[in-house]
Amino acid sequence: MFTLTPVIASHIEDTLSDGNKIQEWVTAFGSPLNLIYPKTVVSNIERFQEVFESHKIKGEIFYAYKANKSVAILKQLAVSNAKIDVASEKQLQKALSAGVVGQRIEATGPKNASFIRLALLQGVVLNVNSPQEVETIVALRQELKITGATPVFIRLKEFKSGKIDIVQKDTKFGLSIEEARKAIEKLKNSKDLEFYGFSFHLSTISEQERVVAIEQSLALTLEAIKAGLTPRGINIGGGFSANFLKNEKEWHEYVSAIKDSLINPNKPSMSWNQSGMGYWAERGKIRGSAKFSDFYRSYDQFQELDKVLSSKTPSFGIIGQFLQENMLTLFIEPGRSLLDQVGITLAKVVSINKSLKGETVVFLDMNRSHINSIELEFMSDPVVISTKEKIKPATDGVFLSGNLCLPHDFICGRKVFFKQELEPGDILAFINTAGYFMDFTESETIQHPMAHKIAIDSSTWFVDEKYEPKFN
Amino acid sequence: MLAQSITDLIGNTPLLKIPSEVHGLKNIEVYAKLELLNPWGSVKDRTAWGILKPHLDELNDKLVIESSSGNTAKALQMIASLHGSSLKTITNRIKVPEAKDVLKLIGTQIQELPGKSDCYDPNDPNDPIVYIQQEIAKDPEKYIYGDQYFNDLNRKIHYDTTGKEIIDDLGKVDYFIGGLGTTGSTLGAAQRVKEHNPELVAIGVVAEKEDYIPGIRNHDETLEVGLFNPEFYSEIVTVNSHDSLEAMMKLIKGSGLLAGPTTGASFLGALKYLKEVDDTLTETKKAVFIACDRVEWYTSYIKDRKPEWLGEAHSESWKDDVRPNAETDVSADRATQWIDDNQPLVIDLRQPISFKMAHIPESINMPYDQLDPMLNTTNPFSTKQKLLFVCPLGEKSSLVANYLAGKNAQAFSLQGGINAWRDQNLSLERDL
């Protein structure tokens, strides 16, 4: 038995405690079904703000909308003081129609002309990815005869520190240090663009890398100030972690069990067809790296931000203090961490079969696209909601298969250990799926329908698009 | 004793009998193999020597490259220096700041690796070895790669020397205990000892997964080590850093051994296993564990885990003597008028770099962090001159002004600090 018990916030516990309601919803809307708790986004925002306040700095939060398609979340954020980070023309349209004005929106990622055009017309902050994009923006401004200056962040890709020699992975977004210096010269003489500051995004668990990137951003910010620009601050992007699991020991034991099962054929298989979830055994040694992120974190996203602000850069001292002294705002763009405990995914058990090699395979009425984030495995155990009165204890772990007529369609490639034997009609609740899991790569492949979303506000619930936000 | 070269002093370390009141075992004599007496202070001196000895001629024109975060790096660097070369270490495991400082001091080039990617990217190698191989591939003739986790010379030197010395000094050994990092020292030495006594019980010590003990790995990490041979060990004992430090302290206080945290871990691992078997024994047995290095360069590691051991007495500070009094506050909206009327000396308490970027005209810069030595001993300001202190938000300046006001100075604080000043759109100057 290797379990991965999820962290479940009390508002989600409340929902799960009403099994009849859940059955009703799944019957009415079909399986899978996503539940969204829009108010929780606001409380996560408040907790980030508390961190800014504790360091006595100005901070602004852009919600990375790409993490979830829910309209209810947008509507709720429209009546909060958060801002929205959009990454496509359609996302921008939806943010605007949810009631968020252009000044509260930032456009990031690769942008085509029509995305930039709408952003320019609405006074959206553009997070610029390349020197060429600056040219495109200036040209489109002239075409559209836009008079007010367009606010821009300039994204950086190159980070150097005088004191720490760190290997950088290759990265395709942003400007090099030299290009950023040229951009400062250009912005200095431009009436078209208003410089908000430098930005970067790192998806790393290394504190040191982030510190080096901040140091580089601050160094260039000071150069910009010396050149006569008035940047508002720096934008350190997202990439804040979230913790999914209750128990650190369970997590470590599970990961060890995957590796042990690859080396020792006498141990029970932990991954479908011994695929190893990114690991393999080579002459008795484990090679490769995990195809899943650390679902257990000993610190949360708010502590992580606190750590960033408390850490020291070799050139500028403690980051929070330096921002405060120089009256600079810290912008962040959290997605997954802001959606922590904001959603769950319900799926119905359709049938059960034994595999050729004797594994139990449970077929769910959902497929991998409904819980898949760039091939990343979902590593917490779903909660079983059973209507049966008698429960049979389970004898072994099972594999959760999707409903696609394809051999590779597994909800997760790992063995899941339930206390009870699953039966057709049972509902599984995958906890904390709002951030990048429930709809990031969702598709109608083999004409299975997309999942519906329900937005829940304590005792009332809405179809996602019909959500009625209240000011918190 | 005359040594021709420092490398002649590697090895030939003594065994120290640990007093029974320190280990508390009735039927087992416990010996520490004092690897901390090697010239650079650790068992890794042998490893580095074993790996580099066949390459001494090449060191003129080659660099040594390795993934090491501590003692191996130190020893490789020292040997390399002797032969006009130096070490480049590519790692993401240097977690002890003192170790990093010493490595920098002796001339090691440290390259840090990026962290594991948080959102999965199938194009990301996420593996330190890949980066080392890429670096070597750029110029294969430039480097000697130590490869301590896979290089059999690491095991062999301990078979040839460490293990042999133990048999020479002690004869038959019944239990051998060592921490598992590269696993070379424990495996090599224990294999030799086992040849002398096929009944030898070898015990490996690993760290708990969520924990960190310098130089030894956790269960999962050992599975990646090329030299690791799980069948060789009768048992692998898991220890945590907290208890290891307690065990280290026992050795320090009870046996006069200035042992480090990893030595503490090996000793603890030894006791955990031996306590179980002690009661079942009818005749005296002998156990040897490796005292791999010393305590000195781990003080910050120890401070993180056992702050009470390094508790510093609270020293008297001017901050203890501040009596808050709102009358020292000057609000930002009347600040310019107040400055005109009173002609104060404006003292900005922020860091120099922030001061340079923007400050109140004609102010001077005295960083807050540097005030302590002055204010703790004296008041450097004239009591006839009005003073206006400025900080980011008016908190630190209020402390300083209130303290000095209590010392008869005419000290004031800009309420809300430079942020409030800026919010009033008052003029700021920049020094370029």
Side-chain angles (χ1 to χ4, degrees):
Chain A
M1 271 285 272
F2 293 97
T3 50
L4 292 172
T5 313
V7 173
I8 309 178
S10 59
H11 58 272
I12 294 174
E13 289 278 14
D14 287 349
T15 308
L16 297 179
S17 66
D18 191 347
N20 292 334
K21 184 90 153 258
I22 285 180
Q23 290 284 354
E24 253 175 59
W25 277 336
V26 174
T27 309
F29 293 98
S31 167
L33 174 65
N34 292 314
L35 307 189
I36 296 282
Y37 302 82
K39 285 262 173 77
T40 307
V41 188
V42 178
S43 52
N44 285 338
I45 283 176
E46 283 164 358
R47 292 191 61 192
F48 271 123
Q49 272 159 348
E50 280 163 22
V51 180
F52 292 138
E53 276 157 29
S54 73
H55 286 267
K56 306 213 161 80
I57 61 160
K58 287 177 186 157
E60 284 191 16
I61 299 158
F62 288 97
Y63 160 58
Y65 178 23
K66 62 177 174 288
N68 194 297
K69 297 192 181 89
S70 163
V71 173
I73 292 173
L74 280 188
K75 285 186 172 179
Q76 184 63 52
L77 287 178
V79 298
S80 78
N81 60 1
K83 303 186 169 186
I84 315 287
D85 156 25
V86 298
S88 72
E89 185 189 4
K90 181 85 173 276
Q91 283 199 332
L92 174 52
Q93 290 166 353
K94 288 177 95 173
L96 290 167
S97 71
V100 186
V101 293
Q103 285 88 339
R104 284 175 58 197
I105 302 175
E106 172 200 11
T108 56
K111 304 166 198 76
N112 61 17
S114 60
F115 185 19
I116 297 177
R117 217 174 271 127
L118 182 58
L120 288 173
L121 289 168
Q122 295 296 329
V124 165
V125 193
L126 286 156
N127 198 331
V128 175
N129 268 323
S130 66
Q132 197 180 49
E133 202 172 276
V134 178
E135 306 300 328
T136 312
I137 292 167
V138 172
L140 283 172
R141 276 179 52 89
Q142 282 164 6
E143 228 176 85
L144 297 168
K145 301 231 179 309
I146 288 174
T147 47
T150 297
V152 290
F153 284 115
I154 302 284
R155 180 159 173 174
L156 297 172
K157 68 180 168 205
E158 187 182 14
F159 311 111
K160 290 209 167 111
S161 164
K163 311 249 165 56
I164 306 168
D165 177 7
I166 193 159
V167 178
Q168 243 196 298
K169 294 173 196 169
D170 204 4
T171 170
K172 64 181 174 177
F173 294 122
L175 281 71
S176 67
I177 295 168
E178 204 193 317
E179 287 166 341
R181 292 206 169 109
K182 284 189 190 145
I184 291 174
E185 284 305 304
K186 202 177 170 73
L187 288 162
K188 199 170 81 178
N189 304 315
S190 162
K191 287 203 172 60
D192 290 342
L193 306 176
E194 185 193 348
F195 182 52
Y196 265 34
F198 289 105
S199 75
F200 65 83
H201 176 82
L202 289 175
S203 59
T204 176
I205 56 169
S206 155
E207 239 175 278
Q208 196 168 35
E209 255 181 298
R210 204 177 247 148
V211 167
V212 169
I214 291 177
E215 191 185 4
Q216 180 68 69
S217 308
L218 288 174
L220 284 167
T221 302
L222 295 190
E223 287 184 30
I225 294 173
K226 282 181 192 164
L229 292 168
T230 50
R232 298 188 179 195
I234 57 167
N235 180 343
I236 65 167
F240 295 95
S241 56
N243 174 37
F244 289 78
L245 299 177
K246 220 169 193 167
N247 189 321
E248 176 167 20
K249 199 159 166 264
E250 280 186 356
W251 172 248
H252 290 312
E253 285 177 359
Y254 197 98
V255 175
S256 295
I258 297 173
K259 294 178 184 172
D260 290 342
S261 77
L262 294 173
I263 288 181
N264 186 347
N266 298 323
K267 300 229 167 154
S269 153
M270 293 291 289
S271 51
W272 177 250
N273 249 334
Q274 282 290 27
S275 70
M277 324 271 294
Y279 295 110
W280 69 90
E282 199 176 295
R283 282 177 291 166
K285 304 295 163 201
I286 289 293
R287 291 284 166 270
S289 58
K291 235 175 117 171
F292 48 83
S293 62
D294 290 340
F295 261 49
Y296 179 84
R297 297 293 165 93
S298 54
Y299 49 87
D300 65 27
Q301 56 273 53
F302 314 109
Q303 288 165 320
E304 194 177 350
L305 177 62
D306 180 60
K307 256 190 348 211
V308 170
L309 287 169
S310 309
S311 48
K312 218 170 171 173
T313 67
S315 323
F316 305 114
I318 295 164
I319 291 168
Q321 196 185 326
F322 189 80
L323 293 169
Q324 189 194 75
E325 289 196 348
N326 287 282
M327 297 163 279
L328 295 168
T329 300
L330 186 72
F331 301 91
I332 59 171
E333 299 163 346
R336 179 185 14 210
S337 60
L338 207 54
L339 296 182
D340 192 17
Q341 299 291 336
V342 169
I344 67 174
T345 299
L346 304 172
K348 201 171 218 169
V349 174
V350 178
S351 61
I352 291 146
N353 195 17
K354 281 272 177 214
S355 75
L356 171 67
K357 297 194 173 165
E359 302 285 4
T360 305
V361 181
V362 175
F363 288 81
L364 300 183
D365 205 1
M366 72 184 283
N367 58 62
R368 200 172 164 79
S369 87
H370 292 119
I371 195 157
N372 188 353
S373 170
I374 344 168
E375 286 302 308
L376 197 70
E377 295 285 339
F378 193 76
M379 297 294 284
S380 91
D381 292 348
V383 176
V384 185
I385 296 144
S386 182
T387 48
K388 309 281 180 319
E389 290 194 355
K390 271 193 183 162
I391 288 167
K392 255 206 229 156
T395 50
D396 191 13
V398 302
F399 288 96
L400 300 177
S401 164
N403 57 8
L404 299 184
C405 183
L406 289 171
H408 77 256
D409 182 33
F410 280 87
I411 302 307
C412 44
R414 66 185 186 91
K415 190 175 267 186
V416 185
F417 296 83
F418 294 101
K419 282 200 182 68
Q420 66 200 74
E421 227 167 65
L422 296 182
E423 290 184 52
D426 287 347
I427 288 173
L428 299 187
F430 295 84
I431 309 300
N432 213 0
T433 54
Y436 290 103
F437 283 106
M438 66 169 62
D439 64 13
F440 193 70
T441 59
E442 190 183 12
S443 79
E444 286 186 303
T445 180
I446 320 195
Q447 302 198 32
H448 285 285
M450 305 273 246
H452 287 281
K453 283 192 185 73
I454 288 179
I456 298 173
D457 175 11
S458 53
S459 56
T460 38
W461 60 272
F462 307 81
V463 172
D464 186 65
E465 309 83 74
K466 303 283 181 198
Y467 180 72
E468 293 173 13
K470 287 187 202 76
F471 193 83
N472 258 37
Chain B
M1 181 183 183
L2 269 177
Q4 296 303 321
S5 160
I6 188 86
T7 53
D8 295 346
L9 301 177
I10 298 172
N12 289 314
T13 57
L15 283 168
L16 175 72
K17 188 170 181 184
I18 303 298
S20 59
E21 56 272 23
V22 174
H23 59 68
L25 303 167
K26 294 190 299 286
N27 299 309
I28 303 170
E29 293 173 356
V30 180
Y31 297 88
K33 177 69 173 161
L34 298 190
E35 289 303 289
L36 45 72
L37 291 181
N38 276 305
W40 304 305
S42 91
V43 66
K44 294 297 193 177
D45 295 1
R46 292 188 204 249
T47 304
W49 184 233
I51 287 174
L52 284 188
K53 207 161 50 173
H55 299 284
L56 296 180
D57 295 344
E58 304 160 55
L59 283 171
N60 292 322
D61 49 347
K62 285 188 178 180
L63 288 177
V64 181
I65 191 166
E66 181 57 286
S67 176
S68 163
S69 51
N71 283 313
T72 306
K74 181 170 63 171
L76 286 171
Q77 173 65 47
M78 294 305 283
I79 297 168
S81 297
L82 276 178
H83 294 84
S85 174
S86 82
L87 168 74
K88 177 170 185 170
T89 182
I90 301 188
T91 176
N92 49 13
R93 294 177 67 95
I94 304 187
K95 293 178 184 168
V96 184
E98 294 94 323
K100 197 172 186 173
D101 285 346
V102 171
L103 288 176
K104 280 189 191 159
L105 187 75
I106 62 179
T108 304
Q109 191 193 341
I110 301 169
Q111 195 158 48
E112 314 261 354
L113 286 176
K116 202 170 88 177
S117 182
D118 189 36
C119 71
Y120 175 71
D121 176 354
N123 304 314
D124 182 352
N126 264 342
D127 183 355
I129 304 294
V130 173
Y131 291 100
I132 290 186
Q133 297 295 4
Q134 283 171 353
E135 185 67 26
I136 294 171
K138 277 188 222 158
D139 190 354
E141 291 305 304
K142 190 173 159 189
Y143 293 112
I144 300 166
Y145 177 28
D147 198 11
Q148 57 166 338
Y149 290 95
F150 284 79
N151 192 336
D152 190 56
L153 290 172
N154 175 2
R155 178 202 61 84
K156 189 168 177 296
I157 187 83
H158 293 286
Y159 177 87
D160 291 344
T161 65
T162 323
K164 179 176 181 301
E165 292 164 22
I166 293 170
I167 303 167
D168 289 349
D169 288 342
L170 209 57
K172 183 174 171 246
V173 174
D174 303 288
Y175 306 101
F176 187 91
I177 304 98
L180 300 180
T182 65
T183 75
S185 58
T186 307
L187 182 63
Q191 277 176 336
R192 186 66 175 257
V193 175
K194 192 163 187 161
E195 276 181 9
H196 194 78
N197 172 22
E199 303 294 306
L200 175 86
V201 172
I203 307 297
V205 181
V206 297
E208 280 180 7
K209 265 181 99 172
E210 54 272 36
D211 208 344
Y212 168 67
I213 298 175
I216 67 176
R217 301 197 140 206
N218 65 41
H219 167 84
D220 283 24
E221 289 166 344
T222 58
L223 299 180
E224 298 169 7
V225 174
L227 296 175
F228 180 53
N229 178 2
E231 280 80 46
F232 183 76
Y233 306 93
S234 306
E235 195 167 315
I236 290 180
V237 180
T238 306
V239 297
N240 66 39
S241 58
H242 186 90
D243 297 344
S244 296
L245 288 176
E246 298 280 355
M248 173 192 88
M249 217 44 168
K250 257 194 204 169
L251 288 174
I252 290 177
K253 290 190 171 155
S255 60
L257 196 57
L258 203 50
T262 326
T263 303
S266 292
F267 182 53
L268 175 65
L271 293 187
K272 269 185 142 176
Y273 180 82
L274 296 175
K275 269 199 178 121
E276 302 271 314
V277 293
D278 189 34
D279 291 337
T280 66
L281 297 176
T282 49
E283 58 183 62
T284 305
K285 301 268 186 181
K286 287 176 190 162
V288 174
F289 74 95
I290 295 182
C292 42
D293 77 340
R294 294 159 59 110
V295 73
E296 288 94 330
W297 80 353
Y298 297 108
T299 52
S300 61
Y301 173 86
I302 297 165
K303 206 173 203 165
D304 280 349
R305 289 162 176 79
K306 296 279 187 187
E308 67 277 14
W309 289 358
L310 290 146
E312 286 157 20
H314 179 71
S315 59
E316 280 187 24
S317 158
W318 63 270
K319 286 165 200 148
D320 302 335
D321 202 14
V322 175
R323 284 176 211 89
N325 177 0
E327 280 169 34
T328 56
D329 279 347
V330 174
S331 73
D333 52 8
R334 62 180 182 101
T336 35
Q337 186 62 48
W338 190 89
I339 289 172
D340 279 351
D341 294 347
N342 295 286
Q343 295 297 315
L345 179 62
V346 182
I347 302 151
D348 192 318
L349 301 175
R350 293 175 301 149
Q351 299 172 70
I353 197 161
S354 308
F355 177 78
K356 270 191 188 152
M357 295 317 290
H359 54 249
I360 295 173
E362 285 159 35
S363 56
I364 64 163
N365 187 207
M366 293 181 79
Y368 182 77
D369 297 341
Q370 291 165 34
L371 283 180
D372 282 2
M374 269 188 278
L375 294 187
N376 285 341
T377 50
T378 174
N379 168 17
F381 303 103
S382 157
T383 51
K384 297 193 177 73
Q385 167 75 55
K386 283 202 170 125
L387 309 166
L388 180 64
F389 289 94
V390 179
C391 73
L393 297 165
E395 291 172 343
K396 290 169 183 161
S397 58
S398 170
L399 275 182
V400 175
N402 278 305
Y403 170 73
L404 289 173
K407 301 281 172 211
N408 299 323
Q410 302 183 56
F412 297 86
S413 157
L414 178 64
Q415 207 176 8
I418 194 94
N419 278 275
W421 179 276
R422 199 250 333 238
D423 291 347
Q424 294 283 331
N425 286 320
L426 300 175
S427 69
L428 287 168
E429 259 177 13
R430 180 181 320 133
D431 294 341
L432 294 181

